[in-house]
Amino acid sequence: MELFKTTRVYDFVRYSSYGLIVSMLVCAMSIALILIKDFKLGIDFAGGNIVQIQYTNVAPISQIREILSQRQDFGGFQVSEFGQPNEVLLKLPLLDEANQNNLSKLILEALAPSGEFEIRRTNSIGAKVGDEFKKKGIISIVLALLAMMAYISFRYEWRFSLAGIVALAHDVVIVSGVVIITDIDFSLEVLAALLTLIGYSINSTIIIFDRIREQMLLYRAKDMRFVINEAVSCTLSRTLLTSFTVFLVVLTLFLFGGEIIRGFSLPMLVGVVIAAYSSMFVAPKLAIVFGFNLDEYYKKEAQKRKKAEEKRLLRKMYEGGVV
């Protein structure tokens, strides 16, 4: 399926210059948010208790806050509506051992004056487990980036590898800024969204890099700008269709999946758009910025073909019994 019947070569490299400026500004703002405001760590990483409550009628959130504020052991609590007006999500600190083991009973007794309700679920994570999750989450993202950088370097050229990884970092930083702005708790769902985004974004970038390499080897072009413009233009239908279909799926999760999956769906919703943009306007342009040279590339490819031919002739001589 094609969006465009005829392939027109657009000047993506020209517009990429403006795109890089916008990207740098947005990334700078996202980094500033991370340094100044930082993520609001969820229970998964900070440790604590999550209690989901369903009331028979509309939940009296102000009354719940008033009741909990009178208890010293619930200091630093958070109360928010959870998807529906009659459902509430409580985020509570870790309690002493006796109260921690009887958390459901404690909540039922404390909130009894607020109306008739039932406890749908409770989750508890210790501070040590949360810290371990945090370390493993950082390690998993770093290892994913390093593994992809090694693969692209082996498959293409180190400048393409660097461009691809910088584009990936660009996507992750911007989506992280969106997570902070929208006040989403940084949980395992958000971490899963970032790792999914890394895989999705590098896939879009690799397809364009493949087309660039194909054009370089097939037509022996001399102008890198034309090679990039042609490659991005030829893959434009695929990029837009794939991004649009994934966007629709994630949008469905965002609209109808409820609060419990919001930490995954919202970052992915933004990430799909950012990934499509970075694969077309950021990664290819960065390869030029990092000094990729077509003449040097052709020389290296000629040397590779020469060595491969020498190995083929030697193998043929040995197989024919000539030493």
Side-chain angles (χ1 to χ4, degrees):
M1 182 177 177
E2 294 288 337
L3 285 178
F4 309 106
K5 296 299 182 182
T6 58
T7 302
R8 176 182 172 186
V9 177
Y10 299 93
D11 195 353
F12 283 94
V13 174
R14 176 189 171 190
Y15 296 113
S16 295
S17 300
Y18 303 109
L20 284 182
I21 296 173
V22 173
S23 292
M24 286 189 290
L25 291 175
V26 176
C27 284
M29 289 188 289
S30 296
I31 292 171
L33 281 172
I34 294 171
L35 295 176
I36 297 172
K37 190 176 180 181
D38 203 359
F39 294 102
K40 186 174 75 173
L41 295 179
I43 299 298
D44 295 328
F45 297 104
N49 298 294
I50 289 180
V51 183
Q52 183 182 344
I53 297 174
Q54 185 180 56
Y55 279 81
T56 305
N57 300 311
V58 176
I61 293 179
S62 58
Q63 186 180 0
I64 295 172
R65 289 196 178 106
E66 184 180 350
I67 292 172
L68 295 180
S69 63
Q70 296 173 2
R71 300 183 61 103
Q72 294 183 352
D73 51 351
F74 289 157
F77 70 88
Q78 294 179 25
V79 181
S80 59
E81 184 179 301
F82 191 72
Q84 301 178 30
N86 65 327
E87 291 203 20
V88 174
L89 193 69
L90 307 180
K91 296 181 180 180
L92 308 171
L94 288 171
L95 308 176
D96 57 72
E97 187 174 351
N99 288 327
Q100 189 68 38
N101 294 333
N102 297 293
L103 179 62
S104 296
K105 182 180 178 181
L106 196 65
I107 294 297
L108 288 171
E109 292 175 354
L111 297 181
S114 65
E116 186 178 347
F117 65 89
E118 65 171 345
I119 296 178
R120 302 289 302 277
R121 68 182 174 104
T122 61
N123 288 334
S124 300
I125 296 179
K128 186 177 290 186
V129 175
D131 188 56
E132 186 177 345
F133 278 155
K134 190 192 305 180
K135 291 178 181 176
K136 288 184 176 180
I138 295 172
I139 290 172
S140 62
I141 291 177
V142 172
L143 288 179
L145 292 175
L146 290 176
M148 290 178 184
M149 188 171 184
Y151 167 75
I152 302 172
S153 295
F154 172 77
R155 184 77 183 271
Y156 302 96
E157 205 260 356
W158 72 267
R159 291 178 183 83
F160 278 95
S161 174
L162 186 58
I165 294 304
V166 172
L168 281 181
H170 157 277
D171 299 348
V172 172
V173 167
I174 291 178
V175 173
S176 297
V178 172
V179 170
I180 295 174
I181 290 174
T182 52
D183 207 33
I184 295 176
D185 289 352
F186 192 88
S187 60
L188 289 176
E189 289 81 12
V190 176
L191 178 61
L194 293 178
L195 290 172
T196 304
L197 174 62
I198 288 174
Y200 174 80
S201 180
I202 198 63
N203 180 62
S204 297
T205 303
I206 286 295
I207 288 173
I208 293 176
F209 282 178
D210 252 342
R211 182 69 183 186
I212 291 173
R213 186 180 64 169
E214 179 183 314
Q215 290 297 103
M216 289 189 301
L217 296 177
L218 187 61
Y219 297 111
R220 307 287 293 183
K222 296 296 183 183
D223 185 2
M224 189 62 185
R225 291 173 61 94
F226 174 80
V227 171
I228 290 177
N229 289 333
E230 198 278 341
V232 179
S233 297
C234 286
T235 55
L236 185 59
S237 287
R238 180 265 167 205
T239 302
L240 294 179
L241 284 171
T242 303
S243 299
F244 181 66
T245 51
V246 174
F247 182 85
L248 288 179
V249 172
V250 180
L251 181 62
T252 303
L253 290 176
F254 177 74
L255 294 177
F256 305 108
E259 290 290 333
I260 198 166
I261 202 174
R262 191 64 55 90
F264 177 85
S265 59
L266 181 58
M268 277 300 298
L269 196 65
V270 178
V272 168
V273 178
I274 299 299
Y277 157 77
S278 69
S279 65
M280 293 187 293
F281 292 98
V282 177
K285 176 66 175 181
L286 285 175
I288 297 177
V289 173
F290 293 147
F292 180 80
N293 187 282
L294 278 173
D295 292 331
E296 292 181 5
Y297 179 77
Y298 290 143
K299 288 179 182 178
K300 290 179 181 178
E301 288 299 317
Q303 290 174 357
K304 288 181 182 178
R305 286 195 296 271
K306 184 179 178 181
K307 289 181 180 179
E309 181 64 19
E310 290 175 352
K311 289 181 179 178
R312 188 188 68 81
L313 291 175
L314 285 173
R315 188 181 298 111
K316 186 177 181 181
M317 289 172 60
Y318 284 120
E319 288 174 354
V322 180
V323 180

